[in-house]
Amino acid sequence: MAPSTMASGPPPVRWWPPCSSSSSTSGSSSTTTGLMKANLFIAINRIIFSSFSSAVFGIGTSFFWATAPDAVDGAIRLTQRNNHGNISELLDNLLRGYDNSIRPDFGGPPAVIEVDIMVRSMGPISEVDMTYSMDCYFRQSWVDRRLAFTGEYNTLALSISMLGRIWKPDTYFYNGKQSYLHTITTPNKFVRINQDGRVLYSSRLTIKAGCPMNLEDFPMDIQRCPLKFGSFGYTSNDVLYRWNSGRSAVAIAEDMKLSQFDLVDCPAGNVTDRVVHSTASVGAIVINAANDIDRLDPNAKLYVSEYSMLLVSFHLQRHMGNFLIQVYGPCVLLVVLSWVSFWLNREATADRVSLGITTVLTMTFLGLEARTDLPKVPYPTALDFFVFLSFAFIFATIIQFAVVHYFTKYGSGECYFSADELTSSSDEDSDCGGGGGGGGGNANGDHLHSIKISSKRCSAVTSISGAGGTDSKVVEVIPLSVCSIPVTPVRKSSKTSWADLSCFGNKNEDIPPSFASSSFSTPVPSTKRSSLQLPLGGSAQIQRRRKRKKRTPRFNSVSKIDRASRIFFPLLFLAINVFYWFLYLSRSERLPQQHKN
């Protein structure tokens, strides 16, 4: 019993009898040594445990970061899968039972379509076709409460395939001709839906529209090219068009430039088209003018349909630089060139006529070239007026020379002689000599007399006889002789004789009356042979002959009409130009206008 009792109970306490002093000292030293060993063991265990725990923590951290990306990607994919599923489910819920053939708020107030335009570029602008083209972003916005939704997204950017499943307005361009949607690389359009059901539909279009132009002030004109658009089938009871109040109605790109025009303004507004329909036995007739109502059947019923439209007008001011260089400048230079003939001798008929004809032909070419890029309008333009004005001045220059030549062909620097007053003898050694044209002696046959004056400034002369077929007068002509020639008649005549011949004679003296009836085309026979004898005698004989009554031919190398034209033509052309430019520049509003209060 005792062993079992001892085994089950607490361990027995052993008691050692007290020892002597020496034995106690040795016991205390052994205790101190045991404590030091215990402390060393504990320190070593702590170091080993800390090193092991650090190693285990590093290995665990490395393993965690190695497997983290896969976990994040998986979480993102899971979130996206949930979002896609949510959006797809949202769209399915929105389009469940949706009818895209019925406008929003059908049976209620009209749907309001807000529009704004962003113009990227403009051109070309054709006066011949009266059209203009522009590249723009055409944005439309409306509210369709059937597409309203709730969720964490404020806006849904959807594919263009969504456009075929929702209602959209049937917008068309009233004055459009060849508009199209850009489709490279994909159709340039998008659609977005907001939480309140507002739909934004934007597309990139190139619009070619008609522009009725008034070219009366061309090329100083300002054209107003409209762009009108609205619903093709919905009346104002179903659809109303308004400009977007949150944006500028028409925005222009900052880098947009036109080659021939400046875009000075683009006002926008709302218009309403009223179309009168007539229901008769023959069918419905659409009437666009109020005056056409009188032609309708009085028994027919009339009803009016109103269509909401938007209108923007592009005000284009034409550049004048090209026309100043190509037309106006050359025309002015040609007119000034035609005035050179006023400084030419009136005897230079060929030079003045050829100069006038050349300028007229050049002016005609310029006038035709200026209208190649213009339509065949029934009214003259400002450019036509200027070309016609220049042509008129050049033509007037030719007419002026004709007048000068007509009124000054008698005595215009030409020396005239009477054959009855000239002798048949001549001196070949004199400074200016002449000889008969029919022989050396008297003859009874018909012939022409000619006098040849040999000098530095004298020229060949052909004798011209008087009209009437008589042999009483024969006129000898020396054109434009600028040398003084003394003449000595050997045989006296009963008529007035020439004592001295000078092409620089007195201008106040008149030509003998016998020259007034002379003709410059038909020679007459003469029985007398005359020649010019130039004396070599002294001055005493000349002085005696000058005492006699004589008439000297006149020399007028510069006409008074030419002198007056040199001043009159430039002043008149300048005055007409000032009036022309002031009139057309003020009409085209290029000059500042005085606004009345």
Side-chain angles (χ1 to χ4, degrees), residues 423-440:
T423 62
S424 59
S425 62
S426 61
D427 189 357
E428 297 294 338
D429 297 330
S430 61
D431 293 337
C432 294

Side-chain angles (χ1 to χ4, degrees), residues 127-130 213 215 368 370-381 384:
E127 292 85 1
V128 177
D129 300 332
M130 290 194 177
M213 298 182 182
L215 300 174
L368 296 177
R371 292 191 62 90
T372 54
D373 296 333
L374 292 179
K376 295 177 176 59
V377 292
Y379 50 83
T381 64
D384 294 335

